[in-house]
Amino acid sequence: MPTRPKNVKRNVSKNAKAGTRVEIKKQTSSEIQSAKGKLGVMIPGMGAVATTFVAGVEAIRKGLAKPIGSLTQMGTVRLGKRTDGRSPKIKEFVPLAGLEDLVFTGWDIFEDNMYEAASNAGVLEQKLLDQLKPFLSSVKPMSAVFDHNYVKKIDGPNVKKGKTKMDLAEQLRDDIRSFKKKSGATRLITMWCGSTESYIEPTEAHQSLKSFENALRKNDEMIAPSMIYAYASLMEGVPFANGAPNLTVDLPVMLDLSREHNAPICGKDFKTGQTLMKTVLAPAFKARLLGLSGWYSTNILGNRDGEVLDDPGSFKTKEESKLGVLEHILQPALYPELYGNIFHKVRINYYPPRGDNKEGWDNIDIFGWLGYPMQIKVDFLCRDSILAAPIVLDLVLFLDLAQRTPELRGIGIQEWLSFYFKSPMTAPGLYPEHDLFIQLMKLKNTLRHLKGEELITHLGLEYYD
Ligand SMILES: NC(=O)c1ccc[n+]([C@@H]2O[C@H](COP(=O)([O-])OP(=O)(O)OC[C@H]3O[C@@H](n4cnc5c(N)ncnc54)[C@H](O)[C@@H]3O)[C@@H](O)[C@H]2O)c1
């Protein structure tokens, strides 16, 4: 366990009533290191999500667009009582890197620079991309660590060669060091935006550093490319976020490495469209004790992600990530009459004409008073990467904050960032919180806690003294 920073004082909230005293930790912002200098963002997988994120940051920096959907840029945090009128912007409350300080690089199996990749992805209008062309063209992918067996639907020429997986990891570590030097970044973050890899379960190879490194040297087939990026990053002391449902950093060896190198980790799988809706609606049913008999979710999607997910191995990884949500929110063991017999199905169908503009349908069969059935239909015509890009930005900025914060940098998994994930990582043995509003409260209370502000419990009795 990390030790508590020396100048943290234990304190008891003055406003707390007898019997409901809330112990808070007084921490001064000086304990969080400042965000001075450039922050290098390294992205394995420079496809639709990555290019929409990078192009978006540049468009915002140029004053061409607004950071809609980003909590770090537009969100506020209430401090103190409702009557205090203190709600600063999050980015003014905690020291986050500014957008002007972000510098980018990435790896991909295709040689396209970010301008070409963004044009191919077809998410943003060409007119906007043309305004950003010099900048986007300057971000070129480094050669990738790739294994076709893990992503069956694609193949590309820009791939590293090496006798063993350990050699490939060393090449990635060289890439990381030379990007840091070339870019002048003082800090780095790795953000996995690569394709969803085939489903695997943890094995002996993933349990300890010794067994993992042995497995790297022996080219063990259970070491997926994303794990090699994660290993290289953490060994270099670089925090790692996982936007896909692959295991990647959700392994004992990565947790050990993360803690040892003070490089925070989080994942898995960005919570963007259908699952976002699920984690809003399911808590509402549970709050009102409405029963659920079935939830059928289907999607049509025509981007490269959709094509990759057309392979059963990659789909299985995604399916596992999407299915866990209801079980954890509805707690059937506690409410067997309401949630003990749910039929939950998730389908993703590759349908090229829609490109990145996914359509997600949900048919939800619920029941109320005396068991009378009702139905809800949701038809979300969303844009996958438009929903994902602000999540990427927030994760980059918050993970960097975590690494500059003594209390967070050595704990490994950053569960307070569950808000952004379909399948949030937690400490071993702990079930994940999926309810979006619990996740948001957890995130904001973490920020309050780091700054020595009182946590908000919504008790509210103090207004009636
Ligand atoms: N709303 C969303 O868009 C959303 C939500 C949740 C999760 N995700 C996940 O985010 C990831 C990215 O989504 P996308 O729409 O940008 O997909 P995409 O197919 O457009 O981009 C993925 C890129 O990763 C590259 N790649 C694959 N394996 C690689 C490797 N080993 N090294 C380097 N590059 C590699 C591919 O060549 C491709 O360019 C996917 O795993 C997807 O499932 C996306």
Side-chain angles (χ1 to χ4, degrees), residues 268-339:
K268 320 183 283 263
D269 207 4
F270 303 128
K271 176 151 87 175
T272 48
Q274 196 164 54
T275 311
L276 175 72
M277 292 298 147
K278 222 168 241 180
T279 61
V280 169
L281 288 173
F285 302 152
K286 190 168 121 192
R288 287 296 166 97
L289 298 166
L290 294 168
L292 181 71
S293 51
W295 198 314
Y296 185 86
S297 302
T298 186
N299 298 274
I300 53 174
L301 174 62
N303 60 13
R304 192 183 285 148
D305 187 30
E307 189 181 355
V308 166
L309 294 172
D310 216 27
D311 170 65
S314 293
F315 175 68
K316 167 98 172 118
T317 312
K318 191 59 117 182
E319 188 186 28
E320 288 289 316
S321 166
K322 281 177 164 260
L323 282 178
V325 170
L326 286 186
E327 171 96 6
H328 284 114
I329 293 178
L330 298 174
Q331 297 177 295
L334 282 183
Y335 304 98
E337 304 104 310
L338 298 176
Y339 309 121

Side-chain angles (χ1 to χ4, degrees), residues 43-52 106-110 117 121 123 142-147 150-151 154-156 158-159 172 192-197 224-226 229 242-246 268-273 301 303-309 318 321-322 356 358 382-389 391 420 422:
I43 314 179
M46 288 171 39
V49 171
T51 54
T52 307
W107 294 267
D108 206 289
I109 64 170
F110 299 108
V123 178
M142 297 180 279
S143 57
V145 171
F146 184 70
D147 179 348
Y150 274 92
V151 187
I154 55 172
D155 229 336
N158 195 29
V159 173
L172 288 176
W192 176 268
C193 291
S195 307
T196 298
E197 296 172 334
S226 66
Y229 287 95
N242 180 16
N246 327 316
K268 320 183 283 263
D269 207 4
F270 303 128
K271 176 151 87 175
T272 48
L301 174 62
N303 60 13
R304 192 183 285 148
D305 187 30
E307 189 181 355
V308 166
L309 294 172
K318 191 59 117 182
S321 166
K322 281 177 164 260
D356 200 65
K358 180 159 83 180
C382 65
R383 292 172 188 266
D384 243 13
S385 304
I386 293 293
L387 292 168
I391 294 183
Y420 295 106
K422 277 202 219 9

Side-chain angles (χ1 to χ4, degrees), residues 142-270:
M142 297 180 279
S143 57
V145 171
F146 184 70
D147 179 348
H148 183 65
N149 289 321
Y150 274 92
V151 187
K152 296 243 163 56
K153 291 277 176 175
I154 55 172
D155 229 336
N158 195 29
V159 173
K160 290 192 195 313
K161 290 193 177 60
K163 258 210 187 115
T164 69
K165 293 187 176 183
M166 185 58 105
D167 295 339
L168 298 173
E170 290 300 338
Q171 292 177 39
L172 288 176
R173 292 182 68 177
D174 281 345
D175 287 350
I176 294 172
R177 288 191 285 257
S178 61
F179 171 65
K180 188 165 188 198
K181 206 159 154 204
K182 251 194 327 220
S183 67
T186 53
R187 305 168 326 273
L188 300 172
I189 295 287
T190 306
M191 179 78 235
W192 176 268
C193 291
S195 307
T196 298
E197 296 172 334
S198 271
Y199 182 77
I200 52 170
E201 288 184 359
T203 64
E204 197 43 47
H206 307 117
Q207 301 306 314
S208 70
L209 184 58
K210 195 165 166 231
S211 54
F212 189 83
E213 289 186 334
N214 268 338
L216 281 174
R217 286 190 200 97
K218 286 187 184 148
N219 285 330
D220 187 324
E221 59 176 19
M222 296 310 278
I223 308 281
S226 66
M227 295 174 197
I228 305 178
Y229 287 95
Y231 168 80
S233 299
L234 298 177
M235 290 295 283
E236 291 299 317
V238 178
F240 191 103
N242 180 16
N246 327 316
L247 287 178
T248 315
V249 276
D250 200 1
L251 296 168
V253 54
M254 300 300 172
L255 181 53
D256 289 351
L257 275 178
S258 162
R259 293 169 79 125
E260 199 179 312
H261 293 266
N262 285 323
I265 49 176
C266 62
K268 320 183 283 263
D269 207 4
F270 303 128

Side-chain angles (χ1 to χ4, degrees), residues 115-137:
Y115 173 77
E116 293 159 338
S119 303
N120 290 339
V123 178
L124 300 175
E125 285 170 7
Q126 202 59 42
K127 198 171 136 222
L128 176 65
L129 293 179
D130 287 340
Q131 286 174 277
L132 311 171
K133 187 170 179 181
F135 172 76
L136 290 176
S137 310

